[in-house]
Amino acid sequence: MEGTDAVLRRAASLVNGRPLVLVNPERAVNICYLTCRWWEVETVKVMRETGATALAVDAGRTLMLDREELIRKADEAGVAIVGYAAKD
C-alpha cells in the first residue's frame, strides 16, 4: 500500500492544480500501537510540493514527530494543521 507522500503526489496529478486538503482519520477498529498515524516534517515538504493546503488529523490518535519543527515548517509552507476528535 502506498504511503502518504505517494498518495499526495497521485492526488495532485488528478486535481489539475486545485488545492488539496489531506484528511487522514484513524479508524476506531485499529489498535493504535500497531497503526497509529504519525507525521513528520518531510510530509509537509511534499504537501507544499503538491499544493496541499491543510492536514486534518485525529487529535487523540496522531503522533507528530518533532512537533515544534513540524508546526513551524507547516506555517512557513502555508499548510494548516487541524486536529479533530473522532467519535468511536
Side-chain angles (χ1 to χ4, degrees):
M1 190 166 184
E2 66 190 338
T4 303
D5 295 350
V7 168
L8 283 165
R9 288 183 176 115
R10 182 168 49 89
S13 74
L14 299 172
V15 298
N16 298 322
R18 291 177 296 200
L20 297 171
V21 173
L22 178 60
V23 179
N24 197 254
E26 178 66 33
R27 291 176 289 171
V29 297
N30 287 343
I31 299 169
C32 189
Y33 67 84
L34 295 176
T35 61
C36 193
R37 301 283 190 243
W38 56 276
W39 297 97
E40 60 184 344
V41 173
E42 188 61 35
T43 300
V44 173
K45 292 177 187 176
V46 175
M47 291 181 75
R48 183 175 191 174
E49 166 195 321
T50 59
T53 59
L55 167 63
V57 298
D58 184 338
R61 296 182 178 155
T62 303
L63 176 63
M64 293 184 164
L65 303 179
D66 297 320
R67 182 180 181 270
E68 291 80 17
E69 183 180 2
L70 177 69
I71 292 171
R72 184 175 54 78
K73 291 291 187 181
D75 286 344
E76 289 172 3
V79 172
I81 299 176
V82 178
Y84 63 91
K87 295 184 181 187
D88 292 334

